[in-house]
């Protein structure tokens, strides 16, 4: 798999340090990464959008995040946690991280996801579907 490019669209209403830190993590793993601040529309949630040039998310999630940790799901969790964690100064954190492929496949991560969600996500073939975690059934489901 050729290395995808990654764009992190960060809510401009939040401090940008977490996004810049995770951009550096991706770059250190050999991925071309760019962070851009984006204004939030009135009434919209402060969510981070991570756009990847890959058409299918599964190879991106499993290959890239295996570079960041011994197991891909642990690397993915560390990346998402890095974007979602609050700041020591009490600054707000985003409500979620949306990883989207160039063809529209979309997986939404939130701070309360169990380890099992990350394990399943790295094998998820999210070509054009939008996936959310169903905590009752403990599986990713198309929205």
């Amino acid at each position: 798999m050729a290395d995808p490019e990654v764009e992190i669209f960060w809510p401009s209403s939040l401090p940008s340090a977490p996004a810049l830190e995770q951009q550096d993590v991706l770059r250190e793993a050999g991925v071309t990464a760019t962070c851009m601040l984006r204004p939030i529309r009135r009434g919209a949630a402060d969510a981070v959008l991570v756009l990847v040039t890959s058409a299918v998310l599964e190879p991106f999630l499993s290959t890239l995040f295996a570079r960041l940790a011994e197991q891909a799901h642990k690397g993915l969790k560390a990346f998402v946690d890095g974007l979602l964690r609050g700041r020591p100064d009490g600054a707000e954190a985003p409500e979620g991280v949306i990883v989207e492929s160039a063809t529209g496949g979309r997986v939404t991560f939130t701070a309360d996801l169990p380890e099992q969600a990350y394990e399943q996500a790295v094998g998820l073939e999210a070509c054009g579907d939008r996936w959310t975690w169903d905590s009752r059934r403990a599986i990713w489901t198309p929205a």
Side-chain angles (χ1 to χ4, degrees):
M1 178 188 92
D3 285 339
E5 292 183 16
V6 176
E7 295 176 336
I8 301 171
F9 293 90
W10 186 259
S12 61
S13 62
L14 300 175
S16 60
L20 296 173
E21 290 168 6
Q22 294 311 305
Q23 171 187 266
D24 291 343
V25 166
L26 293 174
R27 287 179 176 171
E28 289 171 11
V31 174
T32 302
T34 307
C35 181
M36 292 175 268
L37 299 180
R38 66 180 173 118
I40 300 301
R41 295 187 325 246
R42 178 175 271 168
D46 283 342
V48 178
L49 175 62
V50 178
L51 183 62
V52 298
T53 57
S54 174
V56 181
L57 288 177
E58 185 272 329
F60 166 75
L61 295 176
S62 60
T63 303
L64 170 65
F65 292 110
R67 295 182 197 173
L68 301 180
E70 188 174 316
Q71 295 176 310
H73 75 276
K74 292 183 186 279
L76 174 59
K77 182 171 182 359
F79 176 75
V80 170
D81 286 349
L83 291 171
L84 292 178
R85 71 174 167 255
R87 299 322 245 165
D89 62 3
E92 288 186 56
E95 293 179 15
V97 173
I98 301 165
V99 178
E100 184 173 328
S101 71
T103 58
R106 179 182 273 201
V107 182
T108 302
F109 297 93
T110 56
D112 59 347
L113 291 178
E115 187 88 11
Q116 181 182 15
Y118 292 94
E119 291 172 3
Q120 288 182 26
V122 295
L124 195 60
E125 291 187 29
C127 294
D129 294 322
R130 294 170 184 244
W131 297 84
T132 57
W133 181 251
D134 182 337
S135 58
R136 198 170 34 90
R137 298 185 335 185
I139 60 170
W140 287 98
T141 58

